[in-house]
Amino acid sequence: MSKLSVDLKKIISHSKEYGYIFPSSEIYDGLSACYDYGPFGVELKRNIKDYWWRSMVKSRLDVVGLDSSIFMHPGIWKASGHVDAFNDPLIDNKDSKKRYRADQLIESYIEKLNSKIEKEVKKAHKRFGDKFDKDQFLQTSVRAQDYLNTITKTTKLMNQYLIEEDYGSLKKLIEEIGIVCPVSGTKNWTDIRKFNLMFSTKIGSVADQATDLYLRPETAQGIFVNFLNVQKTARMKVPFGIAQIGKAFRNEIIARQFIFRMREFEQMEMQFFVRPGEEMKWFDYWKKERIKWHKKIGFSENVLKFHDHENLAHYANAATDIEFKYPFGFKELEGIHSRTDFDLRSHEKHTNKKLQYFDSELGESYTPYVIETSIGLDRMFLAVLCQSYTEELVKENTRIVLKIPPILAPIKVAILPLLKKDNLPEKSKDIYNKLNNFFSCYYEEKDSIGKRYRRQDALGTPFCVTVDHETLDNNSVTLRNRDTMDQVRISIDDLIIQLNNKLSF
RNA sequence: GCGAGUGUAGCUCAGGGGUAGAGCAUCACCUUGCCAAGGUGAGGGUCGAGGGUUCAAAUCCCUUCACUCGCUCCA
């Protein structure tokens, strides 16, 4: 096992030990790729959401929020392209262990036959010179006719089987035409299985009258179908954005790497509607805005990078990812996509309802173009954990610290009596009650003071307030910094102001 | 789905036919005057599940389940 995955392993077990993340359904042996957020995980997650919502919605005049439902009309997923585009027949080669899409295997086979025909044509052209008639050749050449017939027949059968979802026959077809695996060169294929990205379920209490529907695979569509509702009621003018935080569900073929790729996950999305033709300007604008956001909470230059897409999705005309350097490499954390007017237009087509905006400045109506920023909340959570987890040597002992940015930390301040006697606990609890109105606090009196500091370090608490005998004399406490372990003595009255300075957005 | 690996205490793991173990963690009491691991005691396990071999199985055999890693996909 590589050193990198050892790091991830440490983070996973630390997350569990300190109440951040538990494996789902653990006492039933777990459920693959599902995780639960524990008492401190849920706080960190909430703080990340707040940080995003504040900067994307609260601090801007041109973006408003939305919380659309997870269940939506099944027609939406037809319009968005999810029903057709993510419904693949998959087949494995048992020798090379490679997985392919069955239809793509057959298509590349047809491609090969086509190039063989081309070769024949070229050869014949050489032979006959200028008098060469391509159509005539194709009709008379036995070999070319053979290829053409096979292509026609194979294409027809493939399409028929795909539509009927007759995967048994589709496999037979692959075997009959003798397709081999490009890697192993063998015909040792598994059966074809259908893979569907979306989870389906039923709504309605009577089974046979129930309507099939899907759990949403992205939050974006809830925004698109509410475009006019939001624009009109919040009286927004293009350019403007709609933001949403919510769960999404994808039946990933393989879900791995802890909370990086889960089947149930949470997205923080914003769709920004702009005038047609101005999309690249806004695409660049949001690229800059979003990278600024990441840097503001302390992600450094060398753990972030843009990754521009070469192959664009069916709806996009430009796309980039912000990648974060996880222990398993640079991976997508956030996507910024120029989605054109694909979604709005597609919903118009499917509903026969106008989804246009009248631009009073231009004096015309149009379907806005859309720039999407979409960040995985769980991926952000993991990025924060990976960035924060540190082990350092202090007097030949390992100190494990979660250097979580203070504004994101689940617990902001721990209040600790130096000793569990002499009225120190009582005094500490007074301070706890006072501070807890402003920050999330933690009170602890067990074990030696050093041990308690280390425990708070491991939990990621940025500040410890220690109450000692001097506190009883002059109302002063020590304030300890998690990252430097430095302590300053300050008056209790100054605590709230000082902490506020360090903990505000 | 295929391949490999792993399942023993809350965590990290040892033990490989003969009474279930260690360190850390937890709880109680004592100790403790600022950076983890001081003392005494206690709780906690049908050794992933089912079956087989055996006088005897955590240990050997078979089956099964779950997780982890790799491969294909990722709006």
Short mmCIF file of all heavy atoms in Angstrom, two decimals, chain A residues 439 463 479 488-491 493-504:
data_model
loop_
_atom_site.label_atom_id
_atom_site.label_comp_id
_atom_site.label_asym_id
_atom_site.label_seq_id
_atom_site.Cartn_x
_atom_site.Cartn_y
_atom_site.Cartn_z
N PHE A 439 -20.16 31.57 21.03
CA PHE A 439 -19.40 30.59 20.26
C PHE A 439 -19.77 29.20 20.74
O PHE A 439 -20.20 29.04 21.87
CB PHE A 439 -17.89 30.76 20.48
CG PHE A 439 -17.45 32.19 20.52
CD1 PHE A 439 -17.19 32.82 21.73
CD2 PHE A 439 -17.32 32.91 19.34
CE1 PHE A 439 -16.79 34.15 21.77
CE2 PHE A 439 -16.92 34.23 19.37
CZ PHE A 439 -16.66 34.86 20.58
N PHE A 463 -9.10 27.31 20.20
CA PHE A 463 -8.72 28.05 21.42
C PHE A 463 -9.10 27.31 22.68
O PHE A 463 -10.16 26.68 22.76
CB PHE A 463 -9.39 29.43 21.43
CG PHE A 463 -9.00 30.27 20.24
CD1 PHE A 463 -9.90 30.46 19.20
CD2 PHE A 463 -7.73 30.82 20.15
CE1 PHE A 463 -9.54 31.21 18.09
CE2 PHE A 463 -7.36 31.56 19.03
CZ PHE A 463 -8.27 31.76 18.01
N LEU A 479 -5.35 32.22 27.41
CA LEU A 479 -5.95 31.85 26.13
C LEU A 479 -4.88 31.16 25.30
O LEU A 479 -3.84 31.74 25.00
CB LEU A 479 -6.46 33.10 25.42
CG LEU A 479 -7.18 32.91 24.09
CD1 LEU A 479 -8.45 32.09 24.28
CD2 LEU A 479 -7.51 34.25 23.44
N VAL A 488 -1.61 33.44 26.13
CA VAL A 488 -1.56 34.82 26.64
C VAL A 488 -2.56 34.93 27.78
O VAL A 488 -3.58 34.24 27.80
CB VAL A 488 -1.93 35.85 25.54
CG1 VAL A 488 -0.82 35.95 24.51
CG2 VAL A 488 -3.25 35.50 24.87
N ARG A 489 -2.24 35.80 28.71
CA ARG A 489 -3.18 36.01 29.81
C ARG A 489 -4.01 37.24 29.52
O ARG A 489 -3.47 38.30 29.21
CB ARG A 489 -2.40 36.19 31.13
CG ARG A 489 -3.29 36.36 32.34
CD ARG A 489 -2.54 36.09 33.65
NE ARG A 489 -2.40 34.67 33.96
CZ ARG A 489 -3.36 33.93 34.55
NH1 ARG A 489 -4.53 34.46 34.84
NH2 ARG A 489 -3.15 32.67 34.81
N ILE A 490 -5.33 37.04 29.55
CA ILE A 490 -6.19 38.20 29.30
C ILE A 490 -7.35 38.21 30.29
O ILE A 490 -7.64 37.20 30.94
CB ILE A 490 -6.77 38.21 27.86
CG1 ILE A 490 -7.66 36.99 27.63
CG2 ILE A 490 -5.67 38.27 26.83
CD1 ILE A 490 -8.43 37.07 26.33
N SER A 491 -7.97 39.35 30.39
CA SER A 491 -9.08 39.50 31.32
C SER A 491 -10.33 38.86 30.74
O SER A 491 -10.54 38.84 29.52
CB SER A 491 -9.30 40.99 31.59
OG SER A 491 -10.68 41.27 31.58
N ASP A 493 -13.22 39.86 30.74
CA ASP A 493 -14.06 40.82 30.04
C ASP A 493 -13.64 41.01 28.58
O ASP A 493 -14.46 41.38 27.75
CB ASP A 493 -14.02 42.17 30.76
CG ASP A 493 -14.52 42.03 32.20
OD1 ASP A 493 -15.39 41.16 32.42
OD2 ASP A 493 -14.03 42.75 33.08
N ASP A 494 -12.35 40.79 28.31
CA ASP A 494 -11.87 40.97 26.93
C ASP A 494 -12.06 39.73 26.07
O ASP A 494 -11.86 39.77 24.86
CB ASP A 494 -10.38 41.32 26.93
CG ASP A 494 -10.15 42.69 27.54
OD1 ASP A 494 -11.12 43.47 27.59
OD2 ASP A 494 -9.01 42.95 27.98
N LEU A 495 -12.42 38.62 26.71
CA LEU A 495 -12.47 37.34 25.99
C LEU A 495 -13.35 37.39 24.75
O LEU A 495 -12.92 37.02 23.66
CB LEU A 495 -13.01 36.25 26.92
CG LEU A 495 -11.99 35.31 27.56
CD1 LEU A 495 -12.72 34.25 28.38
CD2 LEU A 495 -11.11 34.65 26.51
N ILE A 496 -14.58 37.88 24.94
CA ILE A 496 -15.53 37.83 23.83
C ILE A 496 -15.05 38.67 22.64
O ILE A 496 -15.09 38.22 21.50
CB ILE A 496 -16.93 38.26 24.30
CG1 ILE A 496 -17.49 37.16 25.21
CG2 ILE A 496 -17.86 38.51 23.13
CD1 ILE A 496 -18.79 37.51 25.88
N ILE A 497 -14.53 39.86 22.95
CA ILE A 497 -14.05 40.73 21.87
C ILE A 497 -12.88 40.09 21.14
O ILE A 497 -12.84 40.02 19.91
CB ILE A 497 -13.63 42.11 22.42
CG1 ILE A 497 -14.85 42.77 23.07
CG2 ILE A 497 -13.06 43.00 21.33
CD1 ILE A 497 -14.52 43.96 23.92
N GLN A 498 -11.94 39.59 21.92
CA GLN A 498 -10.74 38.98 21.32
C GLN A 498 -11.10 37.76 20.46
O GLN A 498 -10.59 37.61 19.35
CB GLN A 498 -9.79 38.53 22.44
CG GLN A 498 -9.10 39.70 23.12
CD GLN A 498 -7.59 39.60 22.97
OE1 GLN A 498 -7.09 38.75 22.22
NE2 GLN A 498 -6.88 40.47 23.67
N LEU A 499 -11.93 36.92 21.02
CA LEU A 499 -12.31 35.72 20.28
C LEU A 499 -13.10 36.08 19.04
O LEU A 499 -12.92 35.50 17.97
CB LEU A 499 -13.13 34.78 21.17
CG LEU A 499 -12.32 34.05 22.24
CD1 LEU A 499 -13.26 33.34 23.23
CD2 LEU A 499 -11.39 33.02 21.60
N ASN A 500 -13.96 37.07 19.18
CA ASN A 500 -14.76 37.51 18.05
C ASN A 500 -13.87 37.95 16.89
O ASN A 500 -14.14 37.65 15.73
CB ASN A 500 -15.66 38.66 18.48
CG ASN A 500 -17.04 38.49 17.89
OD1 ASN A 500 -17.27 37.60 17.07
ND2 ASN A 500 -17.96 39.33 18.29
N ASN A 501 -12.81 38.67 17.23
CA ASN A 501 -11.87 39.10 16.19
C ASN A 501 -11.29 37.92 15.42
O ASN A 501 -11.12 37.98 14.21
CB ASN A 501 -10.70 39.87 16.82
CG ASN A 501 -11.13 41.27 17.19
OD1 ASN A 501 -12.13 41.76 16.66
ND2 ASN A 501 -10.41 41.89 18.11
N LYS A 502 -10.98 36.87 16.17
CA LYS A 502 -10.31 35.74 15.55
C LYS A 502 -11.28 34.80 14.85
O LYS A 502 -10.89 33.98 14.03
CB LYS A 502 -9.53 34.95 16.60
CG LYS A 502 -8.40 35.76 17.23
CD LYS A 502 -7.83 35.01 18.44
CE LYS A 502 -7.12 35.92 19.40
NZ LYS A 502 -5.68 36.05 19.17
N LEU A 503 -12.56 34.91 15.20
CA LEU A 503 -13.51 33.92 14.70
C LEU A 503 -14.55 34.48 13.73
O LEU A 503 -15.46 33.77 13.33
CB LEU A 503 -14.24 33.26 15.88
CG LEU A 503 -13.37 32.38 16.76
CD1 LEU A 503 -14.11 32.00 18.03
CD2 LEU A 503 -12.94 31.13 16.03
N SER A 504 -14.41 35.75 13.38
CA SER A 504 -15.43 36.29 12.47
C SER A 504 -15.05 36.05 11.02
O SER A 504 -13.89 35.84 10.69
CB SER A 504 -15.64 37.77 12.74
OG SER A 504 -14.40 38.43 12.69
#
